[in-house]
Amino acid sequence: MTATANHPSTGTPHATTGAPGATSWVPATEAAPDAAAAGAAPAAVVPPAATSSARTRPGMLATEGRPLVRPPAAAHLSDEQVAEIGRELDAIRDAVLAKRGAADAAYIRRVIRAQRVLEIGGRAALLGSRNKVAWVAGTAMLSLAKILENMEIGHNVLHGQWDWMRDPDIHSSTWEWDFVTPARAWQHTHNDLHHRWTNVVGKDNDIGYNLLRMDPDQPWKPGNLGNPLYNAILAPLFEWGIAIYDLELEDFKKGRKSKEAMKSDLKALGLKAAKQFTKDYAATPAAAMLTGSGKQALVGTLTANAVRNLWAHAVIFCGHFPEGTDTFSEEMVEGETRGDWYVRQMIGSANISGSKAMHLMTGNLSHQIEHHLFPDLPSNRYAEVAPQVKDLCRRYGLPYTEGPLLKQVGSTWGKIFRLALPGGAKPARG
Amino acid sequence: MIRLRKLAQAASLFTTPLAPEDFLALLNPIHSTRQLRGVVTRVEAETADSATIHFRPGRGWKAHEAGQWARIGVELDGVRHWRSYSLSAAAGEDPAITVTAVGAVSEALVRDTRPGDVLFLAPPQGDFTLPEHPRPLLMLTAGSGITPVMSMIRTLVPRRRDADVVLIHSARTPESSLFREELAELADQFPNLRLIQRFTATDGRLDLSTPAAVEAICPDWRQRAAYACGPDGFVGAAEALWQAEANGAGLSIERFDTTFAGGAGQDGGVVTFELSDREVEAPGDVPLMEVGEDAGLLVPSGCRMGICHSCLIPLRSGQVRDLRSGEVHGEPGELIQTCVSAAAGPVSLGL
Ligand SMILES: Cc1cc2nc3c(=O)[nH]c(=O)nc-3n(C[C@H](O)[C@H](O)[C@H](O)COP(=O)(O)OP(=O)(O)OC[C@H]3O[C@@H](n4cnc5c(N)ncnc54)[C@H](O)[C@@H]3O)c2cc1C
Ligand code: FES
């Protein structure tokens, strides 16, 4: 039996008796079971229905054949070589699956525990944040907690990386995160659309998030002059940008998304936003007022959210936009095989090099290439897979883009400035 | 209680999207209302291959009735597995299960469980329980099938002088016979229990193909409320006997296993879990429940052998094969038991 979920073919999921009456023969200490509890069936998980309904699911990708056009960076490969790349990458994935087990489960539980301790510590410190040390400590801990929660935990759990444990508390169908956009909405635009259509101009709206011109093949409009400004505004408000993006307003305007779907998405977002807002900007500061730290606590939570937003924005923009990453046309995915799908993920993504701590704080999205190849492998395994993927790229003459964070951020901003102006085609690859 | 709930509601303003209990769990691992857990308090070896595990369940557990079973979740190499186990402790006492090692999960329970370990639980269920009003009883058990009956005997025999129980228990050898000493002591001490231990390695199997053997041991067997529990073949034979002799009336049964011969050698198909957006290639002899679990889905489950109906999932399209009988069936919208149904061609499920 082979589970094919999240493999080249598709994204991750959208989402997640009674005893007879009293017997006169049993001791009086034993109460008759009451109906409510007898009916409880804790394992019955009802996953929420898909947000946008009738989207067609792609079938499994073929293992043989070729797309109409192969991307320039892979044009030198024969069909057989591409198929071989597919087989090699499948083997790398299978090797990790064979090892995945108790140590991985212990890892994610450790991270979750650490995150929760940090979060409690942070909020507790903010309660007394009139004291400067408490403010700095509280804000720092909360920022860290939020980053961990969104990146190493939330993003990866929502990808289904931990579904294999079958723990309903750490499962892609039940998880909700500390981020404004509701988990289900994000799973749809991110797992289903972005991961499937990675960097395909016209299909992957993550290219610029409908806001920025991030590819020379996107036609220039005068509004694009504001590219750098928009991005500077987007960064500290990133979670709100993503929330609006996940509403798929463009699809709604073009009639591809129904009014009902829009309404229910808006409602879900409204509810989630209200809860998030209450927690960070009302409940925590209100409790801090008891020590006269209300204002400081408010500034602290605002800062923590902004820090997380800036960080997430930087990391995510480094995933697909730095110099060296490719974008693709629709002909390049027409007839795409499993091997071609893998190739597109590799040459369309970029890694960030750095320390172990840096990888953790990016939710291992610093291994963007490995993440795009194997979106549902547990994130703690990307580091060991990376050298194998890098070696494969070297052997097949494919680019493997990586660089330190600052360089990649700079490269991304460079692109944003360049594409604010008309044209801006990439410098030819050497 | 009400105030507690108010407090939890207020606290959740600070913890959303998590619940306050997610933070409390940092201190107490069994504190969860979403996932019932229990802490193992004691483990006693019974035979070379079996052990009794006592546990203290967390909030949400219901006291069990004698004869009921509960689903127990265990993590093997990081993956949660669920199996059903009869509660062997007397009703009114802290729950315990008695497990015989026959496969991966039972093996882990018997060999690796230590006091302090956490078990995942579901509340007790099942109607293999004592009759509502006092009646003479006949218990037919084989192997580990003694466990639910042991709970009944422990509940009844020492506490009710008017009880009248005949137990015919089969095990391969005296060494592998569960609760042998305790049963002998009970029978010695309480005249309301008559015990017939049968060791099949030397005495041969209890012949249930005709009433003769049962009649020889227990002449008034027809007047008794009868219970049978044990391997599939044993329970099936008892069922057939009561069917032939008493129109099936007066016998309660509990099966611990079932034969999945119906799927052998059959072709499967691609299974689509529509709501979870997953497609899996499945063989024709593997229950859809396992297919889903192997794909990482949370599949509702209960007994895992076709008796409790906790696992019903709507069929969207395609047909399934009942692994017990081999029968192929399925209409769109039909609720199917995923624990005993395998794919017969491409299947789409509302999960
Ligand atoms: C209502 C109910 C109550 C149960 N109560 C108990 C109990 O009190 N004590 C107990 O030990 N088990 C009990 N079982 C059986 C238990 O749920 C598991 O099926 C059993 O422990 C095997 O699980 P496993 O993962 O170890 O083996 P698996 O890997 O699932 O199976 C291994 C092999 O063992 C066979 N097998 C399964 N069950 C038995 C069995 N009971 N005897 C012999 N072979 C078997 C299977 O057909 C398979 O071939 C009960 C089952 C049900 C449905
Ligand atoms: S799990 Fe009990 S009938 Fe399927």
Side-chain angles (χ1 to χ4, degrees), chain A residues 4-5 13 17 19-20 24-25 27 30 43 57 101-102 109 113 163 165-167 169 171 177 279 283, chain B residues 13 16 26 34-35 64-65 68 71 75 77 80 125 132-135 156 159-160 276-279 293 296:
Chain A
T4 57
T17 1
S24 58
W25 275 37
E30 199 222 1
R57 168 212 319 276
R109 294 204 168 111
R113 218 172 305 123
D163 283 5
M165 290 161 54
R166 297 187 215 142
D167 180 344
D169 281 350
H171 200 272
W177 57 354
K279 169 178 67 171
Chain B
L13 290 180
T16 183
L26 292 172
R34 274 196 315 264
Q35 285 199 51
H64 68 283
E65 281 183 67
Q68 285 194 311
R71 293 195 315 126
E75 258 168 33
D77 202 13
R80 184 90 47 96
Q125 56 177 306
E132 206 166 322
H133 301 293
R135 284 190 60 184
L156 212 52
R159 308 183 204 181
R160 298 285 302 222
S276 321
D277 199 14
R278 301 237 175 158
E279 279 179 4
E293 286 179 342

Side-chain angles (χ1 to χ4, degrees), chain B residues 289 300-311 337-340:
Chain B
M289 175 179 286
S301 74
C303 64
R304 309 178 78 91
M305 52 176 293
I307 53 180
C308 74
H309 291 246
S310 318
C311 61
Q337 290 171 279
T338 57
C339 66
V340 292

Side-chain angles (χ1 to χ4, degrees), chain B residues 7-55:
Chain B
L7 194 68
Q9 259 171 15
S12 74
L13 290 180
F14 292 88
T15 59
T16 183
L18 297 173
E21 65 178 58
D22 291 314
F23 289 94
L24 292 175
L26 292 172
L27 304 172
N28 177 1
I30 68 167
H31 188 103
S32 167
T33 47
R34 274 196 315 264
Q35 285 199 51
L36 181 58
R37 294 169 167 90
V39 176
V40 174
T41 51
R42 201 150 42 93
V43 182
E44 292 161 353
E46 296 286 352
T47 68
D49 292 322
S50 59
T52 294
I53 299 166
H54 298 260
F55 56 92

Side-chain angles (χ1 to χ4, degrees), chain A residues 6 29 44 68 113 153 160 189 199 223 288 290 296 306 342 389 407 428:
Chain A
N6 306 338
T29 48
L68 283 180
R113 218 172 305 123
I153 305 171
T189 59
N199 283 22
L290 296 177
Q296 289 84 344
Y342 273 139
V389 174
K407 172 170 169 262

